[in-house]
Amino acid sequence: MKNNVIMRMCSFSLAFALFAACQNYPFEEVPTSVIRTKHKTYDAVVGNADILIIMDNSGSMVGEQTAIAQSFQVFKNGLDKKFGKGKYQIAVITTGMESVGMTTNACQACNDQRRYSCINQTGESGRFQDRLGHNTGTVEDPQFVFESDPSCKIMDSSNIEHCFYDQAKDQGVIFTGVNGCGYERGLASMRSALSEPLITTYNTTATKKFLRDNAVLAVVVISDEEDCGEVGDVTEGIN
């Protein structure tokens, strides 16, 4: 992993909506008016950027995923303006991790041999997402379907409009679904994604690799929960 995980995101704001505890089922979509946000703006200092997006895929996140998709063009225009086409690349992971020590009806174990695992079968534990999600339901009653495209693991100007969010089809990698684990461990997922063995095996393609030597690393967390840490760090029951 690079020496410094630099928390940067062009010259526009990043909003992190944080609540006090890890989620417990059932879920209820929180009105936008009560979401507390924090904004920080940074300037990029190098010409290239490797951008890792950690998307919470637990049950309350359909509204946030929809909002990110709807603002995709603004997001892309900001990247193009700040870095230039071909200067940045993006990968998406989830907050789901193998949950050793939890009860059997919590997240199931993910491992290198079993790509589709955990609750919603997205291949989690830091694996770059390569499934194009589409919500055939509503925000209140989401019904996600997925279409796999391995070329979407790492996105740049050549495939971002097809992979990240295709407005015409209303689908994209940013739609990770909402059946993921409510015990969010985005920091552990980030560590797994950017470390061996994933960074040089599953999280690479025949033509692209992440963590380029001449690029700054930017990490964006999209969640409505604080990180739950390692199993046992949070004492609330997971049943």
Side-chain angles (χ1 to χ4, degrees), residues 187-200:
L187 296 179
S189 182
M190 175 185 68
R191 184 182 301 112
S192 177
L194 302 178
S195 303
E196 296 291 352
L198 286 184
I199 192 61
T200 57

Side-chain angles (χ1 to χ4, degrees), residues 174-187:
I174 200 61
F175 285 123
T176 55
V178 291
N179 291 325
C181 187
Y183 195 94
E184 294 93 335
R185 297 176 62 201
L187 296 179

